[in-house]
């Protein structure tokens, strides 16, 4: 930042073509242009993309509010004007500035694209977002609602088909980039904690893929978020859900998502969770001041978190016996 500022000031010493004397108005105009160019170059931020698929506009807004880090909710930061969320029709858009732990520095600009309908007619809106430059900087989130867990399997299936339909229409350069991105994700090591896009244990040790892992890579990194865990209580009271139903839903999702190398998280606006850390880590956004790790949790049913490259058929079976992982995976 300081270097960019110095460069900006050095350019001001030779204003105008051929160093010819200029009017005061022209000098001031060139001065401001040079200063603005300096500021723009000094504040060039890493650009990341988040493609949120599913959920109605209200659920999407709640999810994005949950994604905001805890520091952005401090009283002194509430004066900051939030970017508007335009998600009422077709492909929506907003953005978030990812702040460091001290809340002074911006680590990255996160562009968020939102789509509620999985109809193939919308694939033409998503395709231009995926270029050789952006594919490796993009994370796809399939957003599910705890108000309707009975439709989760169908929604995941429909969105996977939608993504496959987009990928197949990309040009060869984009397909090569997508394949390279998936290979890079597959090579990331499993570990107890996940940090900055890589697992922190077993570094340098090659772990071969197990059964059911990465059988169907989609070409884009994927995360599935089941939002609204505060509705779990209503499922118990109004629909008679027991531990067996909750466990089966979790095992089913984990088995399906294992094929695509996807992470999984249960979220709620009212319950603290690791959504910001998971999303930012998956996009390679790292705090310069505080080490952030994502630890798995497959026990607390309102705080489930399965990091990418952590799960396996064996771990899924441990939760409850009788699950047919082979049948679900096929």
């Amino acid at each position: 930042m300081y270097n960019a500022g110095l460069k900006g000031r050095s350019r001001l010493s030779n204003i105008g073509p051929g160093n010819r004397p200029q009017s005061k108005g022209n000098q001031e105009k060139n001065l401001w242009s040079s200063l603005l160019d300096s500021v723009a170059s000094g504040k060039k931020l890493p650009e990341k993309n988040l493609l949120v698929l599913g959920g109605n506009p209200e659920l999407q807004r709640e999810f994005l509010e949950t994604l905001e880090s805890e520091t952005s909710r401090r009283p002194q930061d509430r004066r900051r004007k939030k970017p508007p969320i335009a998600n009422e029709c077709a492909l929506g858009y907003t953005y978030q500035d990812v702040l460091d732990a001290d809340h002074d520095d911006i680590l990255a600009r996160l562009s968020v694209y939102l789509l509620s309908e999985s109809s193939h007619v919308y694939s033409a809106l998503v395709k231009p977002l995926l270029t050789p430059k952006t594919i490796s900087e993009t994370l796809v989130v399939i957003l599910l609602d705890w108000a309707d867990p009975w439709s989760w399997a169908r929604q995941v299936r429909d969105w996977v088909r939608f993504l496959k339909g987009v990928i197949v229409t990309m040009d060869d350069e984009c397909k090569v980039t997508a394949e390279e991105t998936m290979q890079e994700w597959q090579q990331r090591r499993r570990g107890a904690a996940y940090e900055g896009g890589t697992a922190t244990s077993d570094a340098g040790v090659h772990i071969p893929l197990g059964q059911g892992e990465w059988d169907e890579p989609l070409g884009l990194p994927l995360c599935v978020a089941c939002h609204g865990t505060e509705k779990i209580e209503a499922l118990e009271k109004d629909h008679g859900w027991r531990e067996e139903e909750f466990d089966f839903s979790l095992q089913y999702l984990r088995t399906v998502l294992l094929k695509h190398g996807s992470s999984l998280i249960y979220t709620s606006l009212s319950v603290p969770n690791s959504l910001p850390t998971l999303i930012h880590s998956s996009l390679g956004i790292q705090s310069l001041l505080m080490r952030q790790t994502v630890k798995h949790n497959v026990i607390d049913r309102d705080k489930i978190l399965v990091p990418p490259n952590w799960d396996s058929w064996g771990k899924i079976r441990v939760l409850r016996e009788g699950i047919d992982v082979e049948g679900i995976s096929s």
Side-chain angles (χ1 to χ4, degrees), residues 83-119:
I85 301 175
N87 65 335
E88 295 298 331
C89 58
L91 183 66
Y93 176 79
T94 187
Y95 71 89
Q96 292 183 357
D97 287 334
V98 181
L99 305 177
D100 208 342
D102 62 358
H103 206 63
D104 288 333
D105 296 323
I106 300 176
L107 299 176
R109 167 66 56 83
L110 182 60
S111 292
V112 184
Y113 301 91
L114 306 118
L115 185 64
S116 295
E117 301 294 334
S118 57
S119 171

Side-chain angles (χ1 to χ4, degrees), residues 173-221:
E173 186 178 4
C174 287
K175 289 179 180 178
V176 169
T177 304
E179 184 176 353
E180 291 174 348
T181 300
M182 290 294 90
Q183 289 175 352
E184 178 185 343
W185 272 75
Q186 291 179 35
Q187 291 168 1
R188 294 177 180 179
R189 301 297 179 257
R190 280 197 302 269
Y194 185 78
E195 176 186 6
T198 56
T200 58
S201 66
D202 297 329
V205 179
H206 177 70
I207 302 177
L209 297 176
Q211 287 182 300
E213 297 181 42
W214 288 102
D215 286 348
E216 295 182 19
L218 298 176
L220 293 166

